[in-house]
Amino acid sequence: QVWTSDGTAFELNELEKGVRQQRGTSIKIFLDDSFWEFCNEKRIETILNQYSNFVGFPIYLMGKRLNSVDAIWTKDPKEVEE
């Protein structure tokens, strides 16, 4: 996918297979044998849920949204209750 932002909002669009843009970021991760657990989708999902559940933008893993709790700092103060 292609992620673009104007600083106030972002947009995700599909990128045709085989197309590599000149801009953007490619990430390669090289893992020692003792860290292969981090290649497991369930393990990644657990970590993201544990540490990123309150991030103010959606996080997706394999098309599924993981962080479902709205970050309190993104709400209008009048909407927040104790």
Side-chain angles (χ1 to χ4, degrees), residues 43 52 62 78 81-82:
R43 178 70 171 126
S52 302
M62 305 298 288
K78 296 173 187 164
E81 298 177 11
E82 285 191 44

Side-chain angles (χ1 to χ4, degrees), residues 56-71:
F57 55 87
I59 296 177
Y60 292 90
L61 178 63
M62 305 298 288
K64 176 184 167 191
R65 182 169 179 183
L66 298 181
N67 58 333
S68 58
V69 179
D70 291 331

Side-chain angles (χ1 to χ4, degrees), residues 35-79:
F35 294 100
W36 276 99
E37 69 176 293
F38 297 107
C39 290
N40 179 292
E41 184 179 335
K42 259 316 199 197
R43 178 70 171 126
I44 294 169
E45 182 176 347
T46 299
I47 292 167
L48 289 172
N49 281 331
Q50 183 176 358
Y51 295 104
S52 302
N53 208 28
F54 296 99
V55 173
F57 55 87
I59 296 177
Y60 292 90
L61 178 63
M62 305 298 288
K64 176 184 167 191
R65 182 169 179 183
L66 298 181
N67 58 333
S68 58
V69 179
D70 291 331
I72 195 168
W73 54 89
T74 63
K75 294 183 176 186
D76 183 325
K78 296 173 187 164
E79 297 175 11

Side-chain angles (χ1 to χ4, degrees), residues 1-5 10-16 19 21 23-24:
Q1 290 189 330
V2 178
W3 181 88
T4 55
S5 175
F10 69 92
E11 202 174 292
L12 286 173
N13 296 300
E14 293 297 321
L15 182 63
E16 294 178 32
V19 174
Q21 294 184 337
R23 63 190 175 106

